[in-house]
Amino acid sequence: MHGLDVTLEEHPFFAGFSPDQNRIVSGCARNHKFDAGHYLFREGDPANEFFLIRHGRVALEIVSPGQAPVVIATLGKGEIVGASWLVPPYRWMFDARAVELTRAIGIDAACLRGKCDADAQLGYEMMKRFLPVLVKRLNATRLQLLDVYGKR
Amino acid sequence: MAPPDARLEEPHTTDAFVPDLYRVEAVRRELSDTVTLELAPISGTRPAYAPGQFNMLYAFGVGEIAISISGNHESGNRFIHTVRDVGAVSGAICRSAPGDVLGLRGPFGVGWPVAAAEGSDVMFVAGGLGLAPLRPAILEVLENRARYDRVAILFGTRNPADMLFRHQLESWRQRLDIEVEVTVDHADPDWHGHVGVVPGLIPHVMFDPAETVAFVCGPEVMMRFTATALTAAGVASERIHLSMERNMKCAIGICGHCQFGPDFVCKDGPVMRYDRIAEILALREI
């Protein structure tokens, strides 16, 4: 049976991490299982944890009062759910709902922030992994905003 | 008086401007603003064509537009065209009824390199109505499935209600020898598929990039993002093919309306290799 450090090592997000760094991060990690329809987190809640999807699919949703939620993106195996843990005030900006049975590794945000503060190299490695994800999603959102399939 | 330009008297040039008459045999509504027409020549047989080529369809008294062929040889002596109502001419064509007559010139242009892709993994990436020009190539690859390695179809559309060829996508998805992934830009919680842009699907099905040939068709911005994502994944730019769209008028490389850098999209395209156009693709002046 694999320990969490091995599970993390196999996740694409942590590709290239040293064994020491994996061990440090796995000290903040735990396994989660979300049944279809269950929420990983809700908008406004403290962003105490972010998630690495091992398998399954998660929908990010925004709710307007009196209207059905709008799904703005879905995330699947190998992807990261949650960036609000990185920036104050550490509150979720969206709902995250499991569309199907989803298994994920949760990383305790306060724990990891503390370890990154104490180990600048670890913090830099985390930023190098998070920033491309954020830029990619920003670009994807810009493309969505263009409504390229609408009539010209 | 100067002698007339001999080039204008060449029979193929002159003939190429004269539409043949085609009868609308069937009309199928695909979406609220999109129909598929089956067109049969009033006399003779329709010309042969390659997947990715286009015809000029002429609504008499209204005008003429370039429309890609969206069917394959199973349509017999008919051309299949899927048309979206976005203007006066396309609107008139979309309002055609069985028995109506349209003018047709073609087929024209360079199609998808389907035969050249044999032995490779093939990834089709379509956005919105871009699935229509890709459909003949998809059908040909599936008909000769053993000649290709892995095959994937990635399709992005605006929302679940605007999904072109939905039944066909569902039947393709049931096959065990291809991967089909569909994503929408916007959805409500009843949609259980992907939400996001179509380039985001590429990592879900990424094959051996050195062995992958990609055929991409959709709005130009979508194609730019897709080509960037494919090259970032390791697919060589000469193995990425895009179907370009410009203002095609003569369709035979004379009038210059569809000039795209050193090329004419009607004659040198519409299917063009990404490495040959990448530098000018993002230039707003082109």
Side-chain angles (χ1 to χ4, degrees), chain A residues 8-72:
Chain A
L8 282 180
E9 194 179 294
E10 291 170 349
H11 196 282
F13 184 77
F14 288 105
F17 254 38
S18 70
D20 279 348
Q21 288 168 330
N22 258 322
R23 206 162 32 249
I24 292 170
V25 175
S26 65
C28 301
R30 62 178 174 148
N31 277 310
H32 284 279
K33 176 187 158 207
F34 300 98
D35 290 323
H38 284 213
Y39 284 82
L40 285 70
F41 50 78
R42 306 297 288 256
E43 180 182 343
D45 287 348
N48 291 331
E49 195 174 21
F50 72 95
F51 302 90
L52 315 171
I53 302 177
R54 295 172 63 194
H55 59 82
R57 186 178 300 165
V58 173
L60 299 183
E61 297 176 348
I62 296 179
V63 180
S64 294
Q67 295 180 7
V70 175
V71 180
I72 52 171

Side-chain angles (χ1 to χ4, degrees), chain A:
Chain A
M1 192 169 151
H2 285 175
L4 268 174
D5 53 338
V6 176
T7 308
L8 282 180
E9 194 179 294
E10 291 170 349
H11 196 282
F13 184 77
F14 288 105
F17 254 38
S18 70
D20 279 348
Q21 288 168 330
N22 258 322
R23 206 162 32 249
I24 292 170
V25 175
S26 65
C28 301
R30 62 178 174 148
N31 277 310
H32 284 279
K33 176 187 158 207
F34 300 98
D35 290 323
H38 284 213
Y39 284 82
L40 285 70
F41 50 78
R42 306 297 288 256
E43 180 182 343
D45 287 348
N48 291 331
E49 195 174 21
F50 72 95
F51 302 90
L52 315 171
I53 302 177
R54 295 172 63 194
H55 59 82
R57 186 178 300 165
V58 173
L60 299 183
E61 297 176 348
I62 296 179
V63 180
S64 294
Q67 295 180 7
V70 175
V71 180
I72 52 171
T74 52
L75 302 167
K77 180 181 176 181
E79 295 188 289
I80 299 289
V81 185
S84 298
W85 69 277
L86 277 166
V87 285
Y90 308 122
R91 299 252 170 206
W92 296 119
M93 303 295 291
F94 311 106
D95 294 344
R97 175 178 54 86
V99 177
E100 57 193 43
L101 173 66
T102 298
R103 287 191 165 83
I105 301 167
I107 309 283
D108 183 292
C111 170
L112 186 59
R113 283 197 300 263
K115 288 182 176 179
C116 288
D117 285 343
D119 180 347
Q121 186 60 38
L122 176 68
Y124 181 57
E125 289 295 331
M126 288 299 296
M127 283 300 160
K128 279 202 295 185
R129 283 160 174 73
F130 253 95
L131 200 56
V133 172
L134 297 180
V135 169
K136 197 170 158 187
R137 290 190 190 165
L138 176 63
N139 288 337
T141 304
R142 286 170 171 162
L143 184 54
Q144 273 176 299
L145 283 174
L146 287 174
D147 192 22
V148 292
Y149 306 125
K151 282 186 179 176
R152 294 277 165 259

Side-chain angles (χ1 to χ4, degrees), chain B residues 145-226:
Chain B
R145 183 64 189 84
R147 297 181 192 167
Y148 302 87
D149 287 334
R150 297 173 64 185
V151 174
I153 301 167
L154 309 182
F155 178 52
T157 190
R158 196 181 196 190
N159 56 52
D162 284 347
M163 196 173 298
L164 187 66
F165 303 146
R166 185 178 194 128
H167 294 299
Q168 184 134 49
L169 282 164
E170 287 170 354
S171 74
W172 287 338
R173 192 172 230 172
Q174 287 172 3
R175 292 178 61 131
L176 300 176
D177 57 354
I178 59 171
E179 294 178 61
V180 178
E181 297 285 349
V182 175
T183 187
V184 299
D185 277 355
H186 310 285
D188 61 31
D190 292 335
W191 169 252
H192 286 252
H194 297 282
V195 178
V197 296
V198 69
L201 295 178
I202 290 170
H204 291 267
V205 298
M206 197 58 226
F207 308 150
D208 177 357
E211 295 299 325
T212 298
V213 174
F215 297 163
V216 185
C217 188
E220 199 163 305
V221 177
M222 165 259 163
M223 291 199 292
R224 291 210 310 264
F225 275 77
T226 300

Side-chain angles (χ1 to χ4, degrees), chain B residues 10-20 56 64 104-106 108 249-252 254:
Chain B
E10 286 174 11
H12 77 273
T13 305
T14 312
D15 290 345
F17 284 112
V18 178
D20 294 317
M56 299 299 295
E64 189 185 49
L104 186 149
R105 296 190 293 126
F108 297 115
K249 290 290 186 187
C250 73
I252 52 176
I254 291 176

